[in-house]
Amino acid sequence: AQTVTQSQPEMSVQEAETVTLSCTYDTSESDYYLFWYKQPPSRQMILVIRQEAYKQQNATENRFSVNFQKAAKSFSLKISDSQLGDAAMYFCAYRTPYGGATNKLIFGTGTLLAVQP
Amino acid sequence: DARVTQTPRHKVTEMGQEVTMRCQPILGHNTVFWYRQTMMQGLELLAYFRNRAPLDDSGMPKDRFSAEMPDATLATLKIQPSEPRDSAVYFCASGLRGMGGELFFGEGSRLTVL
């Protein structure tokens, strides 16, 4: 069974600094999606960034980028120039491609990020 | 602005009462998921529908929970009878093949069972 592990329950960063959140996963599949979702205190789940496993290039979205290491099954999120609005719970998630019997989204336990002014 | 709509946003009820949570997926989406979030267990998948057919409800306590999609615009999650351990935030999410695997989440329904 696929699993997603986030080993950092909490992280803190100074405003304008850079922080990296870690995520590892376990799967026997070769094709899959990886995601980082953000959940602020409003509890709305917001997609931050997505990576397709068949793409070697790391995804980037403005200040957010990932370091995808397929062989190591690692998928870390880097937030550059951290802002107060980045404070939230961040979830790493894995999903098998559409077409499988069950392509559910599997979440890690989350990392709570605090941003210090 | 397309979004997943969940009702109610908040529900407080007494143990033993029936609770029904509703979800309107984004128009055109053909997959719908129900997740439960608690501090202890994190995000747990309860049920998964594709084209209105239930594909996976292995995470759902069958004796008291039921999930249905009466039509493509409505998904329901029912708890009968409710228990204090059911207190959680329940999320509905929808998606569509070809959208890169992304799921779009509703704002959640916070349930408190006294």
Side-chain angles (χ1 to χ4, degrees):
Chain A
Q2 296 92 352
T3 58
V4 177
T5 302
Q6 293 179 250
S7 58
Q8 305 155 315
E10 298 181 12
M11 293 282 286
S12 181
V13 64
Q14 291 291 127
E15 199 174 2
E17 296 295 308
T18 296
V19 65
T20 298
L21 308 183
S22 301
C23 173
T24 58
Y25 58 95
D26 188 26
T27 184
S28 58
E29 303 282 346
S30 60
D31 191 19
Y32 46 86
Y33 301 108
L34 295 166
F35 306 88
W36 280 97
Y37 277 87
K38 169 185 177 181
Q39 187 179 38
S42 67
R43 79 175 183 236
Q44 175 74 55
M45 295 287 284
I46 302 165
L47 179 67
V48 175
I49 200 164
R50 170 180 54 233
Q51 176 80 44
E52 290 92 338
Y54 67 87
K55 290 186 177 179
Q56 293 186 344
Q57 185 174 6
N58 289 323
T60 63
E61 286 288 341
N62 301 313
R63 297 182 295 106
F64 299 88
S65 61
V66 298
N67 184 4
F68 173 48
Q69 302 288 328
K70 191 172 183 179
K73 297 179 182 176
S74 171
F75 182 61
S76 60
L77 174 70
K78 185 172 80 171
I79 307 175
S80 304
D81 186 24
S82 297
Q83 301 176 359
L84 295 177
D86 295 333
M89 181 73 88
Y90 286 81
F91 292 96
C92 179
Y94 164 99
R95 190 178 185 196
T96 51
Y98 185 89
T102 302
N103 61 328
K104 58 190 176 185
L105 191 64
I106 301 169
F107 287 93
T109 51
T111 297
L112 183 62
L113 178 66
V115 180
Q116 308 298 331
Chain B
D1 184 24
R3 58 178 180 169
V4 176
T5 303
Q6 288 186 247
T7 57
R9 290 293 313 281
H10 304 274
K11 175 75 174 180
V12 180
T13 191
E14 302 265 331
M15 183 174 64
Q17 295 298 305
E18 178 179 300
V19 175
T20 298
M21 288 168 275
R22 293 177 173 82
C23 168
Q24 181 176 355
I26 293 174
L27 189 64
H29 281 189
N30 65 343
T31 60
V32 173
F33 294 74
W34 283 103
Y35 282 89
R36 176 171 63 184
Q37 185 177 33
T38 61
M39 289 293 293
M40 295 299 295
Q41 300 297 326
L43 282 155
E44 303 173 276
L45 177 68
L46 297 176
Y48 164 38
F49 292 81
R50 185 191 300 162
N51 296 323
R52 296 177 54 202
L55 288 192
D56 186 352
D57 60 2
S58 58
M60 199 164 64
K62 302 292 193 305
D63 56 338
R64 299 183 300 109
F65 284 62
S66 62
E68 295 180 345
M69 280 201 74
D71 60 62
T73 65
L74 177 65
T76 62
L77 180 67
K78 186 178 296 185
I79 309 174
Q80 168 63 23
S82 57
E83 297 181 2
R85 59 179 168 154
D86 301 330
S87 297
V89 178
Y90 291 81
F91 285 100
C92 175
S94 71
L96 178 66
R97 181 179 186 177
M99 290 286 289
E102 177 183 356
L103 292 187
F104 296 80
F105 284 79
E107 293 179 303
S109 294
R110 179 178 292 280
L111 173 65
T112 302
V113 183
L114 302 175

